[in-house]
Amino acid sequence: MKRGLPIVISAPSGAGKGTVIPLVMQALPDAAYSISCTTREPRPGEQDGVNYHFISEQDFEARVRDGQMLEYNRYVDHMYGTPKEQTERWLSAGTDVVFEIDVNGAMHIKESLPAEAVLIMLLPPDYATLEARLRGRGTDDDAIVRQRLEAALTEIEYLPRYDYFVINHTGKAEEAARQILAIITAERHACRRCPDFVKEFKAKI
Ligand code: 5GP
């Protein structure tokens, strides 16, 4: 059976992933969203088991020890990780999986699934917009906002190791989602991903 496509979307905090990714998922009813585990507190409107599995540091460490994480990373001041078992089950059942993870996680996935994963970076149009979005959120204090801005500058340096980038212009989340969907469609139709097409075509003659 053809394996699912692992779709990795990284976005510096404040790039607008919270708006764009739900639009992408709505348009991909057959794809799965990899729900990460995190030790940070839920933001207003976030739900446990929907946006993240919100777990304690202790629980997180235990899951790492048990080998349950496909990858994990500390981001600013909390742990984030991708549960392993479900991901593999989805991919081997042919289900496409969307991973919304940071650059370190993306590099791990690229290493563990080199021929398979497509890496997309969602970006803000410029630094001023990123800062305004992070401050406008009003949920993080100044020190955290500054750490997230610094982290964003580091993350953008990884762009050459990604396959595609999409800019999320203010008020244009639908357009950013459409561009991501176009990339996914193109990747599903990449000849290198379907080496057995001709053989399967001829087998039905
Ligand atoms: P936030 O706290 O804004 O939801 O996420 C902070 C950062 O953690 C984002 O860059 C997000 O992509 C990243 N992140 C979320 N889940 C995971 C994960 O499972 N693994 C890794 N490596 N990063 C993650």
Side-chain angles (χ1 to χ4, degrees):
M1 146 140 12
K2 192 165 177 283
R3 278 171 63 85
L5 176 67
I7 303 155
V8 176
I9 306 179
S10 299
S13 188
K17 65 176 165 130
T19 320
V20 175
I21 293 183
L23 295 173
V24 171
M25 295 312 297
Q26 267 170 34
L28 297 175
D30 295 333
Y33 178 76
S34 166
I35 302 169
S36 298
C37 296
T38 182
T39 60
R40 81 154 163 74
E41 293 294 314
R43 298 198 184 104
E46 285 183 334
Q47 284 175 45
D48 187 38
V50 176
N51 306 88
Y52 283 106
H53 298 292
F54 295 98
I55 62 175
S56 67
E57 289 265 350
Q58 251 177 347
D59 190 357
F60 197 100
E61 278 164 23
R63 290 181 195 217
V64 170
R65 262 199 316 274
D66 292 350
Q68 291 180 31
M69 296 294 187
L70 178 63
E71 61 75 36
Y72 63 94
N73 190 39
R74 179 169 285 277
Y75 184 91
V76 181
D77 48 1
H78 288 290
M79 299 303 294
Y80 295 82
T82 305
K84 189 195 278 179
E85 198 196 317
Q86 192 168 42
T87 305
E88 197 37 55
R89 225 180 313 124
W90 276 324
L91 291 175
S92 40
T95 303
D96 296 343
V97 182
V98 173
F99 300 86
E100 191 281 287
I101 57 179
D102 76 349
V103 292
N104 289 289
M107 293 305 116
H108 272 110
I109 301 238
K110 189 175 169 163
E111 270 164 36
S112 42
L113 309 166
E116 293 185 81
V118 53
L119 270 59
I120 305 169
M121 194 182 279
L122 181 69
L123 293 167
D126 49 48
Y127 185 79
T129 308
L130 180 70
E131 184 168 11
R133 286 181 189 166
L134 284 177
R135 294 200 187 281
R137 199 189 262 169
T139 51
D140 298 319
D141 65 28
D142 189 56
I144 296 285
V145 169
R146 269 189 280 122
Q147 285 177 55
R148 283 181 179 260
L149 283 168
E150 258 173 54
L153 291 182
T154 307
E155 288 192 73
I156 287 171
E157 295 283 346
Y158 281 77
L159 193 60
R161 290 152 84 175
Y162 277 66
D163 300 304
Y164 300 94
F165 72 94
V166 169
I167 307 236
N168 182 24
H169 293 278
T170 303
K172 300 267 188 273
E174 282 86 3
E175 177 57 22
R178 264 197 299 277
Q179 289 182 7
I180 291 175
L181 291 165
I183 292 165
I184 295 170
T185 303
E187 286 291 322
R188 281 188 185 141
H189 290 261
C191 293
R192 70 177 190 287
R193 290 192 188 276
C194 310
D196 296 329
F197 184 86
V198 175
K199 201 168 79 194
E200 285 164 12
F201 188 92
K202 286 189 167 175
K204 288 185 206 142
I205 292 173

